[in-house]
Amino acid sequence: MMASIWDKTTETGLDRPTVIEADDVWKTFKVYKERNPSLKETLLRGRSAYDTFWALKGVSFAVKEGSTLGLIGENGSGKSTMLKILAKILRPKRGSVRIDGKVSALLELGAGFHPDLTGREIVFLNGSILGLTKSEIAAKLDQIISFSELDKFIDTPVKNYSSGMYVRLGFAVAINVEPDVLLIDEILAVGDESFQRKCLNKLYDLKEQGKTIVVVSHALESVRSICDEAVWLEHGEMRAEGSARGVVETYLEEVNRREEAKSGQKSRDEEEFGTRWGSGEVKITGVRVLDGGGKKRRLFKTGETLIVEMDYEAKEEIRRPVFGIAIHARDGVHINGTNTKFSKTVFDKIKGNGTVKYIIEALPLLKGNYVLSTVVYDFACLHAYDHHDRRYLFNVSSGDLNDYGIFYLPCAWELKSGREKK
Amino acid sequence: MVDQLKSLFKYKELLLNFAKKELKVKYKNSVLGFFWSLLNPILMMIVFTVLFTVSPLRVAAKGIDNFPIFFLAGLLPWNFFNATVVGSTTSIVGNGALIKKVYFPRELLPISIAVANLVNFALELLVLIVFVLGSGLFLTRFLGFYKFLPILLVLLPILFVFTLGVSLMAASLNVYFRDIQHIIGIILMVLFYSTPIIYKFNPGMFGKFGIIYMLNPMADIVLSFKSILYGNADNVLAVPNWHYMAYSAAAASIMFLLGYIVFIRLEPDFAEEV
């Protein structure tokens, strides 16, 4: 289907050396009941009162040279803490971490440097933090400046920068210093759309060059496409590790399942969602939204297969019934309506129980929330046996696509340049 | 600790950049820039000369020849110490945003402040030396100073190492007890008056407590600076008392070890505590 430029993931070689190793890492944080550590209080009461919060509980993984690891999980799962431990910013309570080679970390850069310094001075300061000498930085200066797109402002004090400019500068340095190991927190939080693209392309280059990268991200699609492997953390524990695709799938399934469980109320509510009418000679007794593999799903990606199964029960013999489906956007737009008659599929007669399958080979819908109507009518389409109006929900994510709107329309572009007018 | 010091070597570029940043920020938006380092001692010299040789205040400096030089010879090393300790105390806490985001050896922050202040101090010292040479018969002054110059090259490292020890300790402890940044000014003020900077030290003046007085390493260091730059009681440049030098060298080493050990013990959790 939609080929992504990331599809060329490097094969996982067995012979390459392990460059990052986290061995049974535990980390606690103090949660102060009263954050006011002053000498007087400490003298009077001993250490100030705090609770211990375990941010990481025995996390282990290894990354081979040249491969890319994604750390995924919900907010507060400990993934950023893990990254900070890898970057030596935090020290693990127990366990150890080892990284071979020059490490460059990019952690939600924002403020940090003195606002009176110019962009150029920041580049040198930042570069030397990453362990480069003056001449090494000078050699890469042009590259860094052009990458950050700050040519005009490079000699302006950074206090006059916008936050986006600041982040671009930080990213430009971190990514252009040619580290052996690159640690990145939330890549997609960087700059505008086009800069993000540029960063992703640069990451891809680094990957091609055989650099080792660890990424923390909520953007599961980019994790799936950039990373070779992934680790899923939950409340500081490892829930899954392995191939990025596999781990992201498992994670998504779990999130969906949990969402459904959380709204267990809602799934019952779904029965009451929308309206239903009809004479009831045939009843639609169950509706399932499934993926190509036949698994129940709520979230689909543009281009995936979507199947709707309708169980019916006909108390008497019904001749030439018409089964129909309609898709609406949640905001009300009627996107499509079709039925077996329109599709020239005629079921001669039905009696008893059965299932009708409606298959969309490649879902053309873009990101959004949608709702299904399922109906069964007589052949004239005048008499409703059973009509479930806008009762079944499903969501779509656009995946790698940037298109906006409701539909994905495959297209091609051509350029025919005319002669210049004199 | 030796390993830690060795690994610092890899970061010398960053140390220089941090120190440069300190100096740049200090003189940013000032027309004269780093000339202020030269101008300051000149202006102080002028003020002291007016105050203590012309104005009625001169009675305060009675019995001390060349009082402005006498005073500056002690004040400049003290100012280096004072500015470095004060600056370092908040250096970790004040750079929290940086510490939470990138790794670098945290001691570079106080060390870079010491280095930046040392540059400043060296410039001031140059100006003072010009005054010293001009404050008496040039040839005798020049010969005297020429002879004692190498001692200055021993004395400066002693002052530097001692200052660094105090700074490392104050910087790291302040992360846990922010009270330190408030109390440090008062402690330094007490220390200022316990050091023979503004007044003439006379071994007998504290009686039995003279020994305790001299336990303050800054007293030994300042007296040694004064011997070279101002001279003995008769304003003749002289070799410092070797006891003072030896004691302050030992005290500086111990203070540095102590300060650095405390710093290294506390350092790994800075990112959580700042």
Side-chain angles (χ1 to χ4, degrees):
Chain A
M1 236 276 311
M2 267 149 286
S4 140
I5 51 162
W6 303 112
D7 275 345
K8 296 190 273 173
T9 42
T10 37
E11 316 109 68
T12 351
L14 296 164
D15 46 342
R16 282 175 291 135
T18 300
V19 285
I20 303 178
E21 201 167 9
D23 184 24
D24 194 27
V25 174
W26 295 70
K27 177 72 195 164
T28 52
F29 283 116
K30 294 170 190 168
V31 182
Y32 286 95
K33 288 177 175 153
E34 192 184 336
R35 184 69 173 117
N36 192 9
S38 74
L39 198 56
K40 186 189 110 202
E41 278 170 31
T42 307
L43 291 179
L44 290 179
R45 295 197 311 223
R47 301 292 300 180
S48 36
Y50 59 81
D51 291 328
T52 304
F53 167 73
W54 286 92
L56 292 174
K57 303 172 198 164
V59 175
S60 306
F61 56 82
V63 187
K64 288 220 159 71
E65 184 178 17
S67 71
T68 301
L69 176 80
L71 293 172
I72 60 172
E74 294 170 352
N75 285 327
S77 57
K79 53 194 193 309
S80 291
T81 304
M82 190 62 231
L83 203 70
K84 283 186 172 181
I85 286 176
L86 289 178
K88 281 171 54 180
I89 293 168
L90 297 175
R91 151 175 80 168
K93 179 90 175 171
R94 264 186 264 153
S96 64
V97 155
R98 177 181 65 87
I99 298 190
D100 298 336
K102 190 164 79 183
V103 179
S104 172
L106 191 77
L107 308 160
E108 33 152 348
L109 270 172
F113 292 115
H114 201 284
D116 270 330
L117 299 178
T118 66
R120 191 186 301 272
E121 287 163 350
I122 295 281
V123 170
F124 278 93
L125 202 52
N126 213 339
S128 57
I129 283 183
L130 299 173
L132 267 73
T133 64
K134 199 174 171 177
S135 54
E136 283 174 311
I137 304 167
K140 296 198 176 79
L141 190 63
D142 289 339
Q143 201 181 330
I144 291 171
I145 294 173
S146 79
F147 190 88
S148 67
E149 299 167 15
L150 289 169
D151 317 53
K152 278 188 210 155
F153 307 103
I154 199 68
D155 290 309
T156 308
V158 291
K159 63 183 170 192
N160 299 329
Y161 277 26
S162 70
S163 57
M165 289 161 83
Y166 205 105
V167 170
R168 253 149 58 198
L169 189 63
F171 198 86
V173 176
I175 218 164
N176 282 301
V177 297
E178 284 163 31
D180 301 316
V181 175
L182 186 64
L183 310 174
I184 307 172
D185 198 348
E186 249 352 308
I187 15 172
L188 289 176
V190 178
D192 56 23
E193 194 76 22
S194 79
F195 192 73
Q196 285 177 12
R197 290 267 119 193
K198 198 156 132 188
C199 291
L200 283 171
N201 285 333
K202 183 72 191 183
L203 272 189
Y204 183 60
D205 284 349
L206 290 173
K207 214 167 129 66
E208 290 253 289
Q209 288 164 27
K211 309 287 186 189
T212 311
I213 304 172
V214 179
V215 171
V216 162
S217 185
H218 286 290
L220 294 172
E221 278 319 309
S222 46
V223 169
R224 187 157 29 188
S225 48
I226 305 168
C227 299
D228 307 307
E229 283 149 72
V231 168
W232 167 19
L233 293 178
E234 189 177 73
H235 303 305
E237 285 171 76
M238 286 173 70
R239 280 292 302 268
E241 63 175 322
S243 85
R245 273 159 205 279
V247 173
V248 169
E249 280 310 317
T250 330
Y251 175 70
L252 273 178
E253 274 167 29
E254 170 77 13
V255 169
N256 284 340
R257 200 179 313 138
R258 213 176 295 169
E259 227 168 53
E260 264 153 39
K262 210 192 280 173
S263 55
Q265 204 67 31
K266 208 185 274 171
S267 55
R268 236 174 295 126
D269 285 351
E270 255 166 49
E271 300 297 317
E272 275 110 57
F273 190 83
T275 45
R276 178 178 182 179
W277 63 83
S279 56
E281 289 91 333
V282 190
K283 271 188 183 154
I284 296 173
T285 52
V287 173
R288 290 177 299 278
V289 185
L290 309 172
D291 63 14
K295 261 191 276 176
K296 228 176 155 174
R297 267 231 240 153
R298 183 74 171 271
L299 179 69
F300 292 82
K301 218 167 63 168
T302 309
E304 284 184 321
T305 303
L306 181 144
I307 298 171
V308 182
E309 281 186 349
M310 283 181 265
D311 295 335
Y312 64 82
E313 189 189 339
K315 284 186 191 133
E316 50 199 82
E317 188 178 277
I318 304 290
R319 296 185 61 81
R320 297 200 291 176
V322 177
F323 286 90
I325 289 266
I327 300 176
H328 295 258
R330 281 301 293 281
D331 57 18
V333 180
H334 189 165
I335 292 165
N336 177 268
T338 188
N339 60 37
T340 47
K341 194 174 159 189
F342 294 168
S343 308
K344 314 244 181 311
T345 311
V346 179
F347 303 137
D348 222 20
K349 56 185 177 192
I350 55 170
K351 185 159 198 260
N353 296 321
T355 302
V356 176
K357 241 183 179 180
Y358 164 80
I359 301 158
I360 303 178
E361 208 67 67
L363 189 68
L365 296 173
L366 291 174
K367 185 179 166 127
N369 301 321
Y370 299 93
V371 59
L372 286 169
S373 302
T374 54
V375 302
V376 52
Y377 273 70
D378 71 341
F379 195 69
C381 292
L382 294 170
H383 178 74
Y385 293 124
D386 197 359
H387 188 127
H388 295 206
D389 193 55
R390 281 168 267 182
R391 296 188 75 147
Y392 305 99
L393 306 169
F394 69 96
N395 306 324
V396 176
S397 79
S398 299
D400 298 331
L401 289 168
N402 283 327
D403 295 31
Y404 52 90
I406 296 175
F407 272 101
Y408 171 66
L409 302 175
C411 61
W413 297 87
E414 270 173 26
L415 172 70
K416 261 189 199 144
S417 43
R419 256 175 299 162
E420 255 177 69
K421 273 183 190 165
K422 283 193 183 148
Chain B
M1 195 170 112
V2 178
D3 285 348
Q4 185 114 2
L5 276 171
K6 265 190 210 155
S7 78
L8 278 188
F9 194 70
K10 277 200 307 197
Y11 283 92
K12 56 183 189 305
E13 195 76 32
L14 179 59
L15 174 63
L16 289 180
N17 272 331
F18 272 153
K20 262 190 232 161
K21 184 204 85 174
E22 284 296 319
L23 291 171
K24 258 180 204 157
V25 168
K26 187 170 177 174
Y27 295 121
K28 209 91 190 184
N29 293 333
S30 68
V31 179
L32 295 178
F34 87 100
F35 281 103
W36 275 113
S37 296
L38 299 171
L39 212 52
N40 259 326
I42 296 174
L43 293 176
M44 280 197 268
M45 190 72 191
I46 292 170
V47 171
F48 295 155
T49 306
V50 171
L51 280 181
F52 298 111
T53 61
V54 182
S55 87
L57 269 178
R58 64 179 179 273
V59 288
K62 224 174 130 185
I64 302 175
D65 295 336
N66 270 331
F67 184 80
I69 290 182
F70 170 85
F71 190 18
L72 278 180
L75 188 62
L76 295 188
W78 172 265
N79 279 351
F80 163 76
F81 173 77
N82 191 73
T84 306
V85 172
V86 169
S88 298
T89 301
T90 51
S91 65
I92 303 295
V93 175
N95 281 298
L98 198 54
I99 285 175
K100 279 176 205 259
K101 276 170 196 148
V102 278
Y103 172 76
F104 56 88
R106 311 317 192 186
E107 56 268 44
L108 290 180
L109 289 169
I111 295 175
S112 66
I113 290 175
V115 169
N117 285 332
L118 187 68
V119 171
N120 204 28
F121 177 41
L123 291 172
E124 292 176 342
L125 211 51
L126 281 180
V127 175
L128 181 62
I129 288 168
V130 172
F131 284 127
V132 170
L133 294 179
S135 68
L137 257 163
F138 179 74
L139 199 62
T140 28
R141 285 281 173 203
F142 181 76
L143 288 176
F145 184 73
Y146 184 76
K147 216 160 59 189
F148 305 134
L149 186 67
I151 298 174
L152 204 56
L153 298 180
V154 179
L155 213 46
L156 276 174
I158 294 176
L159 173 65
F160 187 80
V161 168
F162 177 71
T163 305
L164 210 52
V166 176
S167 299
L168 286 169
M169 185 171 279
S172 51
L173 288 178
N174 189 52
V175 174
Y176 294 87
F177 310 110
R178 306 287 156 96
D179 311 66
I180 288 173
Q181 67 197 50
H182 303 295
I183 197 86
I184 196 85
I186 298 294
I187 295 175
L188 285 169
M189 196 175 79
V190 172
L191 209 56
F192 176 81
Y193 288 106
S194 318
T195 304
I197 296 164
I198 197 161
Y199 54 84
K200 198 166 193 169
F201 173 71
N202 148 7
M205 69 200 284
F206 296 99
K208 274 188 265 175
F209 299 107
I211 295 258
I212 295 177
Y213 182 88
M214 292 312 296
L215 283 180
N216 165 17
M218 281 310 284
D220 299 77
I221 293 171
V222 162
L223 278 177
S224 304
F225 267 101
K226 283 198 168 182
S227 295
I228 296 169
L229 296 169
Y230 176 75
N232 58 19
D234 301 322
N235 194 10
V236 174
L237 302 191
V239 179
N241 184 330
W242 285 107
H243 294 147
Y244 297 167
M245 297 268 293
Y247 170 73
S248 57
S253 314
I254 293 170
M255 187 66 228
F256 178 75
L257 278 176
L258 213 64
Y260 205 22
I261 287 170
V262 169
F263 193 95
I264 289 174
R265 291 294 294 273
L266 299 177
E267 176 189 19
D269 293 328
F270 281 172
E272 284 167 55
E273 302 285 346
V274 293

